[in-house]
Amino acid sequence: MRHNQLDRELSLMLMLTESKPYTVEQLCERLDISRRSLYYYLEFFKDYGFTVEKRGPHYRLDRNSPFFAKLLRTVHFTEDEAVAMRRLLDRADSSNIQVRHLKQKLDRFYDLGILGDVELREQMAACVGTLYEAIKQKNKVVIHGYSSSHSGTRADRVVEPFLFLSDNSEVRCYEMSSRMNKTFKVARMTSVEMLADGWEHEDCHRQMFTDIFMFSGEERTPVTLRLDRVAYNLLGEEHPAARPLLAPDGDSHWQCRLEVCSLVGVGRFVMGLLDHIEIIEGDSLKDYIGAKVSGYRARLDSQATPGVRHAEKVKADGEGE
């Protein structure tokens, strides 16, 4: 009945807005529905103004979706307001049941309760607050004592912060010394100091994009594929985000126009279905796949036994006559 379906839609909506992300299998199990039904509900959400995010195997609804913005315009807290409220609640009487309930609600919807260490959470909240102000005012900041796992060092970084990522646990910045855009984790910052100096390199700021194959990068390459029914079905099933990009091309073929951040993901998909896909646009993708196929063929030849190589040579010589 329709009310049962509505119950599942609302339950799915609540699950997808929780701090904990869910995989397709977990969502289907919790709601007792098939994968097909789940994808139908996700498409339904998209049609009604929700932004459905997929990060790796996990799904969630973006809380900045137009539907939520319209519904909660008068009562919704901004992220910095939520951070400020959480800091105040940490100083309040923890034995008060209302204080505990408010903390739970904020932690549930704003990802502020991930850390059990109150002192460390205070430190992160202060960093996030300063970064918010710097982004709004377009000012530089000094990230003090940043612990880098890449270089194995702890040092101060002068940067221009311009975009929060991953529920505000990371921030995208332009670093002055390296002249590069980098992603910094808030948990690795000792403190953040906003400078009086404004941005000087806004034209160099680059956002990180994630394509339908879950590869990320600053640049995107346009690609157009022509798929038969087999490839069409597999693309829609394995990468649901591609469905809006598919357009009919004849009775049994479809075109998919997309932008990719890496040739690895799309190349892997195409190479697995070489007999079912035609590359219409994307010379770089053609070159990538050609090099991969040639390289693999050369490797197979090098691994063949001398007798097999001799037989193949004799056959090739005979065919050439």
Side-chain angles (χ1 to χ4, degrees):
M1 296 178 66
R2 174 57 189 164
H3 69 272
N4 290 333
Q5 183 177 345
L6 181 59
D7 176 68
R8 287 196 180 99
E9 290 169 352
L10 294 174
S11 297
L12 177 60
M13 185 186 300
L14 289 174
M15 290 178 67
L16 292 175
T17 52
E18 291 181 7
S19 297
K20 175 186 175 182
Y22 292 93
T23 64
V24 168
E25 290 74 17
Q26 290 170 332
L27 291 168
C28 291
E29 183 179 353
R30 287 280 296 272
L31 297 173
D32 191 24
I33 59 176
S34 66
R35 294 172 70 97
R36 173 176 291 209
S37 295
L38 175 65
Y39 292 138
Y40 169 81
Y41 290 144
L42 293 176
E43 289 300 318
F44 173 81
F45 287 157
K46 292 178 185 178
D47 291 341
Y48 278 83
F50 293 96
T51 301
V52 179
E53 296 181 335
K54 184 175 185 293
R55 297 178 182 176
H58 300 100
Y59 283 87
R60 65 186 307 166
L61 291 179
D62 185 354
R63 297 185 189 121
N64 295 317
S65 298
F67 184 93
F68 286 139
K70 182 177 180 180
L71 180 65
L72 303 176
R73 187 174 292 116
T74 58
V75 295
H76 178 255
F77 293 117
T78 63
E79 296 281 353
D80 49 344
E81 290 171 339
V83 169
M85 289 179 63
R86 191 61 170 84
R87 295 176 67 185
L88 292 172
L89 289 169
D90 280 337
R91 295 187 175 92
D93 182 7
S94 59
S95 64
N96 185 302
I97 190 170
Q98 298 300 329
V99 170
R100 292 204 302 271
H101 285 171
L102 285 171
K103 285 183 178 180
Q104 291 171 0
K105 287 184 177 180
L106 287 173
D107 291 346
R108 181 182 179 87
F109 290 102
Y110 293 92
D111 292 332
L112 304 177
I114 297 173
L115 299 171
D117 187 328
V118 173
E119 182 178 348
L120 186 54
R121 186 166 59 234
E122 284 271 329
Q123 177 181 316
M124 285 187 64
C127 291
V128 169
T130 303
L131 289 166
Y132 261 115
E133 288 302 314
I135 292 174
K136 289 177 182 176
Q137 298 180 33
K138 296 189 175 183
N139 278 14
K140 298 176 186 175
V141 303
V142 180
I143 300 176
H144 290 289
Y146 186 77
S147 178
S148 171
S149 58
H150 178 70
S151 62
T153 61
R154 182 182 290 275
D156 293 349
R157 309 289 189 94
V158 180
V159 301
E160 296 177 357
F162 59 89
L163 180 68
F164 276 103
L165 304 169
S166 304
D167 297 320
N168 298 347
S169 63
E170 299 176 337
V171 63
R172 190 77 174 152
C173 305
Y174 179 84
E175 186 179 42
M176 315 304 294
S177 60
S178 65
R179 298 182 180 180
M180 294 174 59
N181 290 288
K182 296 184 178 181
T183 301
F184 294 90
K185 294 184 178 296
V186 177
R188 296 180 185 172
M189 302 175 184
T190 301
S191 64
V192 178
E193 175 190 358
M194 184 166 66
L195 303 177
D197 300 333
W199 290 350
E200 297 180 47
H201 306 279
E202 186 172 0
D203 58 331
C204 297
H205 294 179
R206 297 291 183 271
Q207 182 177 343
M208 285 290 286
F209 300 99
T210 301
D211 61 28
I212 65 170
F213 301 98
M214 300 312 298
F215 281 84
S216 298
E218 294 182 4
E219 305 296 333
R220 293 178 290 183
T221 302
V223 172
T224 302
L225 306 176
R226 188 171 188 263
L227 313 135
D228 67 7
R229 190 173 298 278
V230 172
Y232 167 81
N233 288 337
L234 286 174
L235 183 63
E237 291 169 3
E238 296 177 3
H239 306 283
R243 289 176 180 171
L245 308 176
L246 291 162
D249 184 10
D251 294 334
S252 58
H253 286 81
W254 292 261
Q255 281 196 22
C256 181
R257 301 176 186 274
L258 67 157
E259 294 181 325
V260 297
C261 299
S262 169
L263 297 177
V264 176
V266 64
R268 183 170 57 194
F269 181 78
V270 173
M271 283 189 287
L273 297 162
L274 286 175
D275 294 334
H276 305 274
I277 298 176
E278 176 187 355
I279 303 173
I280 296 177
E281 177 189 11
D283 289 341
S284 58
L285 178 59
K286 293 178 183 178
D287 294 340
Y288 173 84
I289 291 178
K292 287 290 183 181
V293 172
S294 298
Y296 190 69
R297 180 62 194 177
R299 190 166 65 184
L300 289 178
D301 289 343
S302 68
Q303 294 172 348
T305 62
V308 172
R309 288 200 296 268
H310 177 72
E312 290 181 345
K313 184 179 185 302
V314 169
K315 180 181 178 182
D317 291 342
E319 290 175 347
E321 294 176 353

